[in-house]
Amino acid sequence: MDISKDLIAASATPLILTILKKEDSYGYDIIKKVKELSNNELVWTEGMLYPVLHRLEKNEFIESYWKKANNGRKRKYYRLKEDGLEELENQKKQWELVHNTLSKEI
Amino acid sequence: MFDLELNINSWTDHLRSSGKLNEDDILELENHLRDQIDELIEKGLSRDEAFIISVKRLGNVNSLSKEFSKINTDTLWKHLIVDLSDTDQKQTRRDILLVIILSLLAGTVTRVATLFDFWNEDLFVIKNFSFFILPFIALFFVFNRGTDKKLLSYVLGIFALTAFIINQFPSRVPNHTETLTALHLPILLWLVTGVAYMGLKWKANKERMNFIRFTGESVIYGSLILFGLIVLMAFTMILFEAISVDVSEPIIETLVIYAGCAAAITTMYLVETKKSIVENFAPILAKLFSPLFLITMVTFLAVIIFTGKSPFLDRNFLIAFDLMLVLVLGMVLYIISARKMHETSGIFDYLNVALITTALIIDGVALSAIVFRLSEYGVTPNKLAALGENIVLLGNLIGLLWLYICYFRGKIEFIKIERWQTAYLTIYAVWIAIVVFVFPILFGFE
């Protein structure tokens, strides 16, 4: 199934926030997780993910820190902040509204 | 044997050269690339295959950095540094080489001229200063903008002829006309250089407007670069003073001269190459400062009226007022130039009219002061030059005001105002030429 660009862009924020809610993560891992969670349907590009991450950080929904991984490489991790959690609840409600509206039989 | 590290490094270097990513971003992307490569190798791909596929997945660098630049709008100034897309990289290298060569040439000519040490005896260097730099700027326009060769020969011909005439003029104390020439010549020759910028269509309104814009941007850009140079100079001095090494005067002078020339030509290059982005600079500053200038001028007029004090007793103030009026006129022009032709009249049009009116009144007051001084103390070259400039300025302001009124009443299109203004440039050039060439003869070179 081809998912439209607009929908991918719109769903990026809630998906990233959801993943970060469970545990801190980094760019490469986020893309992988999204792919797994969506059964390979949602494949994000780096050019799309990082700008969103940086914007979320700027809006103070998430924060970043550098951490050494097991293989000795330094990775930039992202962590969900209080505001981000609120934003996630907010976005979820919006998605639910859209979903409920779509599911109603007309 | 495929060297993975080397290839990853050259990839990050390429990212760096786009100038849109900071080191943090680059490291983040590099690690992403490495993770991707590791995973692919684990799946059984060879190192070079893994590298190629990973790079491909990360997207081409240009589109990647473009996405990033949308986020990093805080670093918008970075766009002002020329970014290198692959196609015009060659062109850029050529341009930079041109800038370096022309800067060195201009610097050398200036340095040689100053070696004659006419500096203290008469105004030789100051008078001829424009000839040391402007021809090279004209040359730059020819290479960069593809100006017509024939036109260039005319421009350089005018330079040569002017240089010849000016230096034939004898130098007589108290050098009033010579000083006037030295002050006005750069402006006149800048307009001549402008012909090289505008090319064959130098009479056209659009080209002239572009040149006015270019001039304003150059002033802003040049000031930024100059400021940077001054800071650098200051630190250099302090550093050498700290180790008690006395840098000799000639070395400092040489450095200053070369740096100045390089700054001038680099400014031309940057303004020209980054036109589309920089273009927004001057109009924004103009919009920001025009209300402030308006308030200052109105307050000033009110204070004059209420206290009855004349500000024009000292002639130095007369010059300061003229400069301010030119600056105000500049802002009016920039607001006009930034205006979209099809827009209906907005707040800045009314602000412009208020600015023009206030400037007109101040110019009128200044003019009356000059006429008073002329009749009281007799004619001197300085006063006559100031009189002429104020009349030219007055004509300009009245014309603008009149056309604006016509425009508000729906009688003319806005473009008429612009056309009139660019045509009026010629009058400035003519008056300045009179001051430069006729005044010395008129006043016996004194």
Side-chain angles (χ1 to χ4, degrees):
Chain A
M1 182 168 55
D2 267 342
I3 294 163
S4 83
K5 250 185 160 170
D6 288 349
L7 192 61
I8 289 193
S11 59
T13 302
L15 284 173
I16 291 172
L17 293 177
T18 308
I19 287 166
L20 292 181
K21 191 183 167 189
K22 191 160 175 265
E23 60 179 316
D24 298 359
S25 182
Y26 52 94
Y28 183 73
D29 194 43
I30 293 175
I31 289 186
K32 236 169 83 179
K33 276 185 178 146
V34 170
K35 206 173 143 197
E36 278 169 23
L37 288 170
S38 67
N39 295 324
N40 293 334
E41 292 287 0
L42 282 171
V43 183
W44 288 0
T45 62
E46 289 70 15
M48 185 222 106
L49 171 74
Y50 284 108
V52 176
L53 279 174
H54 294 178
R55 199 186 58 228
L56 289 174
E57 187 175 11
K58 214 178 139 195
N59 293 343
E60 306 217 331
F61 292 146
I62 58 177
E63 61 189 348
S64 67
Y65 58 94
W66 290 90
K67 199 175 106 181
K68 243 190 186 139
N70 294 334
N71 56 11
R73 208 176 288 154
K74 261 171 80 184
R75 280 207 186 102
K76 196 176 183 183
Y77 277 82
Y78 293 91
R79 180 194 294 136
L80 191 67
K81 286 178 80 175
E82 205 59 52
D83 281 1
L85 198 63
E86 240 178 77
E87 174 70 8
L88 177 61
E89 294 308 321
N90 192 5
Q91 292 232 359
K92 264 189 174 165
K93 270 184 204 146
Q94 294 177 29
W95 280 96
E96 258 164 39
L97 180 82
V98 174
H99 180 77
N100 289 340
T101 313
L102 276 174
S103 325
K104 272 190 189 140
E105 286 184 30
I106 304 171
Chain B
M1 182 68 201
F2 182 75
D3 190 342
L4 189 60
E5 282 306 308
L6 191 78
N7 276 283
I8 290 177
N9 283 340
S10 74
W11 183 77
T12 51
D13 275 345
H14 194 53
L15 278 183
R16 226 166 254 128
S17 73
S18 77
K20 284 172 188 153
L21 305 168
N22 61 38
E23 282 305 310
D24 257 17
D25 296 337
I26 290 170
L27 189 59
E28 191 175 25
L29 287 173
E30 190 198 319
N31 282 329
H32 190 109
L33 184 78
R34 284 175 187 279
D35 284 334
Q36 182 84 71
I37 291 169
D38 285 355
E39 192 191 300
L40 289 174
I41 289 175
E42 225 169 273
K43 280 182 181 160
L45 265 66
S46 71
R47 287 150 75 89
D48 50 346
E49 284 169 334
F51 174 75
I52 288 165
I53 289 170
S54 303
V55 166
K56 176 100 179 125
R57 277 201 193 160
L58 267 163
N60 82 41
V61 172
N62 272 336
S63 72
L64 197 63
S65 52
K66 214 177 274 168
E67 287 295 326
F68 267 86
S69 69
K70 282 180 196 158
I71 293 304
N72 290 347
T73 40
D74 288 350
T75 54
L76 192 67
W77 62 271
K78 275 192 186 161
H79 293 255
L80 303 178
I81 301 168
V82 187
D83 68 282
L84 312 159
S85 87
D86 288 339
T87 40
D88 49 34
Q89 211 163 18
K90 226 177 177 177
Q91 168 79 20
T92 308
R93 261 195 227 120
R94 211 199 64 174
D95 285 348
I96 289 174
L97 193 69
L98 192 65
V99 168
I100 293 171
I101 291 172
L102 290 175
S103 302
L104 284 176
L105 281 175
T108 309
V109 172
T110 315
R111 176 71 272 204
V112 170
T114 49
L115 276 183
F116 289 116
D117 203 27
F118 285 119
W119 198 281
N120 295 322
E121 279 96 34
D122 63 18
L123 296 156
F124 175 80
V125 170
I126 298 174
K127 208 166 67 175
N128 284 289
F129 194 65
S130 343
F131 299 118
F132 305 150
I133 295 181
L134 291 180
F136 297 104
I137 290 176
L139 273 176
F140 175 74
F141 291 150
V142 171
F143 286 113
N144 195 268
R145 298 178 62 89
T147 306
D148 187 61
K149 293 282 178 324
K150 207 169 138 198
L151 189 72
L152 175 80
S153 60
Y154 284 132
V155 168
L156 292 182
I158 293 174
F159 271 112
L161 195 66
T162 313
F164 177 74
I165 295 173
I166 293 302
N167 288 297
Q168 289 304 308
F169 288 166
S171 178
R172 286 186 197 149
V173 186
N175 297 337
H176 281 319
T177 56
E178 211 178 355
T179 313
L180 277 177
T181 301
L183 283 175
H184 287 78
L185 197 58
I187 306 170
L188 182 67
L189 292 177
W190 175 248
L191 293 178
V192 174
T193 313
V195 175
Y197 177 86
M198 295 181 276
L200 287 173
K201 286 188 237 145
W202 62 279
K203 280 181 183 156
N205 165 57
K206 206 174 141 234
E207 290 298 319
R208 286 192 178 193
M209 209 64 208
N210 273 341
F211 180 63
I212 292 176
R213 230 176 264 149
F214 180 82
T215 307
E217 307 294 357
S218 301
V219 170
I220 295 168
Y221 240 62
S223 317
L224 285 175
I225 292 178
L226 210 62
F227 180 70
L229 278 176
I230 290 170
V231 172
L232 177 68
M233 267 317 198
F235 275 117
T236 314
M237 300 286 225
I238 293 168
L239 286 178
F240 278 95
E241 221 175 287
I243 51 170
S244 302
V245 172
D246 229 9
V247 186
S248 67
E249 199 76 31
I251 293 182
I252 295 173
E253 215 181 292
T254 308
L255 276 178
V256 169
I257 286 170
Y258 275 100
C261 292
I265 290 171
T266 309
T267 302
M268 300 299 127
Y269 167 67
L270 284 175
V271 176
E272 183 53 25
T273 335
K274 278 284 137 185
K275 205 163 30 178
S276 55
I277 292 161
V278 183
E279 234 162 33
N280 304 322
F281 240 157
I284 288 171
L285 283 182
K287 281 183 176 174
L288 204 61
F289 279 100
S290 58
L292 300 177
F293 266 86
L294 182 64
I295 294 168
T296 311
M297 291 198 301
V298 170
T299 317
F300 174 72
L301 277 177
V303 171
I304 290 184
I305 291 165
F306 285 119
T307 60
K309 278 183 181 158
S310 168
F312 298 113
L313 295 174
D314 191 332
R315 69 188 178 124
N316 287 330
F317 285 115
L318 269 180
I319 296 166
F321 275 101
D322 284 352
L323 282 179
M324 192 182 81
L325 288 178
V326 171
L327 199 64
V328 168
L329 189 66
M331 288 195 292
V332 170
L333 284 186
Y334 278 108
I335 293 173
I336 290 178
S337 84
R339 198 175 182 286
K340 304 221 170 40
M341 277 308 144
H342 49 81
E343 264 174 21
T344 48
S345 41
I347 179 143
F348 280 103
D349 285 321
Y350 296 107
L351 192 69
N352 248 356
V353 171
L355 266 178
I356 294 166
T357 314
T358 326
L360 201 59
I361 296 168
I362 290 186
D363 193 30
V365 177
L367 210 53
S368 67
I370 294 169
V371 173
F372 167 75
R373 288 179 70 90
L374 273 171
S375 59
E376 197 80 346
Y377 304 108
V379 178
T380 64
N382 278 334
K383 272 180 260 174
L384 202 60
L387 178 71
E389 264 138 45
N390 275 285
I391 290 174
V392 172
L393 214 55
L394 193 74
N396 194 344
L397 291 167
I398 290 176
L400 273 180
L401 188 61
W402 171 248
L403 289 172
Y404 250 116
I405 292 170
C406 289
Y407 166 70
F408 281 141
R409 292 169 67 190
K411 280 188 179 162
I412 56 166
E413 295 281 309
F414 192 84
I415 186 85
K416 271 257 172 78
I417 302 180
E418 220 186 89
R419 278 205 203 116
W420 185 81
Q421 182 58 52
T422 52
Y424 202 85
L425 275 188
T426 315
I427 295 179
Y428 281 100
V430 169
W431 176 253
I432 294 169
I434 290 173
V435 175
V436 169
F437 297 115
V438 182
F439 268 45
I441 299 169
L442 207 62
F443 289 95
F445 306 107
E446 277 171 3

